[in-house]
Amino acid sequence: MDPLESQSDTSLAPPEAPREPILTLPGALTAYIGLIALIHLRVLLPDEWEIWTIDVFGFIPKRYDATLLDITFPGGSGAKVWSFVTYSLLHANLSHIGFNVLWLLPFGSALARRFGAVRFFVFMAVTAAAGALAHLLTHEHAIAPMIGASASVSGTMAAAIRFAFVKGSFLSFNRGDADSAAKVPALSLSRALRDGRVLGFLAVWFGVNIIFGVGSIAIGSEGASVAWQAHIGGFLAGLMLFALFDPIPRARHDAADASSVDQSGRV
């Protein structure tokens, strides 16, 4: 074959399509989910070690009961501090993990892309602590440990709705790629609370959590009840503290115009 002919054929060949990455989640969220999965391997430990882990790193409201001076809980004074966050990394079973991860995929993914790794991890810790505080205030003498990332997951959902319905974001009818959709200018809290779609989301979210709480609905194969007050604590923290973490400048007029998609989906 003529070398010139071969070179010509090669130049006319269509370029090879870029390969799609197997893992499209942002690195911070992937690391968070991986950490939860790694920690869950504790179920392979002997039963006494498993119980000790829950007692030391789970959130136990009675640990803070000043009237029980004669009771010593595992972990001592340190557990009174770290358990406000560490409880959120423990889960009862795989279905418990799966339920939280299911909601983290859309909302946590958008927030991790928007915040970056450091802000995202700090945000998850702060909303976990807010959930623990809400649980403590409503279960002052409870001795059963609370575990699970639901308070932080609720926080990501609340924070994400500050920009999720803005034109171009991930819940709007007209959106771009994942990175650009996560970085549209957010609405102020007051404007978000005047948006019909945000109010509808809030009504459904609070309604579901109240139904779970009032009805004492249990989840999981072990019948653990839902700590719905912790969910609300994490949610309110995410909604109100979002601006402290958000690195994207809020263009007031642009955000207002961008949110002008009406309820029928027309632009």
Side-chain angles (χ1 to χ4, degrees):
M1 179 182 293
D2 189 341
L4 293 178
E5 181 181 353
S6 175
Q7 184 177 8
S8 176
D9 292 343
T10 302
S11 63
L12 294 176
E16 183 179 355
R19 296 182 179 180
E20 292 291 333
I22 297 175
L23 193 61
T24 58
L25 294 178
L29 181 59
T30 302
Y32 182 80
I33 294 174
L35 178 61
I36 288 176
L38 181 63
I39 290 175
H40 193 64
L41 293 177
R42 73 178 201 283
V43 298
L44 302 177
L45 298 173
D47 289 344
E48 59 271 20
W49 291 11
E50 160 75 350
I51 295 171
W52 179 86
T53 302
I54 296 294
D55 288 343
V56 172
F57 298 103
F59 188 79
I60 305 174
K62 207 162 189 175
R63 196 194 306 272
Y64 306 89
D65 194 335
T67 64
L68 302 176
L69 300 179
D70 57 333
I71 295 181
T72 302
F73 285 92
S77 299
K80 291 184 177 182
V81 178
W82 65 59
S83 63
F84 266 88
V85 175
T86 55
Y87 82 92
S88 66
L89 301 175
L90 301 169
H91 289 78
N93 47 48
L94 291 178
S95 64
H96 192 194
I97 294 176
F99 184 82
N100 283 329
V101 170
L102 180 65
W103 288 107
L104 269 178
L105 292 180
F107 296 97
S109 181
L111 213 62
R113 286 189 170 93
R114 186 180 187 93
F115 284 175
V118 174
R119 284 188 177 92
F120 177 74
F121 292 138
V122 174
F123 178 87
M124 297 299 279
V126 168
T127 49
L133 179 60
H135 186 70
L136 176 61
L137 294 176
T138 54
H139 296 77
E140 184 179 0
H141 302 294
I143 199 168
M146 178 180 70
I147 59 176
S150 296
S152 294
V153 173
S154 299
T156 65
M157 297 171 73
I161 64 173
R162 293 283 298 273
F163 61 91
F165 294 105
V166 172
K167 181 180 177 182
S169 193
F170 70 104
L171 289 184
S172 72
F173 291 95
N174 183 4
R175 63 188 182 198
D177 61 67
D179 285 328
S180 60
K183 295 178 181 178
V184 297
L187 301 176
S188 66
L189 180 58
S190 61
R191 185 169 184 84
L193 293 179
R194 296 196 303 269
D195 188 295
R197 295 156 297 175
V198 173
L199 292 176
F201 184 95
L202 292 175
V204 172
W205 190 92
F206 277 97
V208 169
N209 276 273
I210 291 173
I211 290 172
F212 269 78
V214 174
S216 298
I217 299 175
I219 61 172
S221 58
E222 299 173 6
S225 60
V226 176
W228 61 279
Q229 294 94 336
H231 296 186
I232 291 177
F235 190 93
L236 291 177
L239 185 66
M240 294 185 293
L241 300 179
F242 167 79
L244 298 179
F245 292 88
D246 190 20
I248 308 299
R250 193 161 61 237
R252 189 173 305 169
H253 299 294
D254 292 342
D257 294 340
S259 64
S260 62
V261 180
D262 67 15
Q263 300 301 316
S264 66
R266 295 188 295 264
V267 179

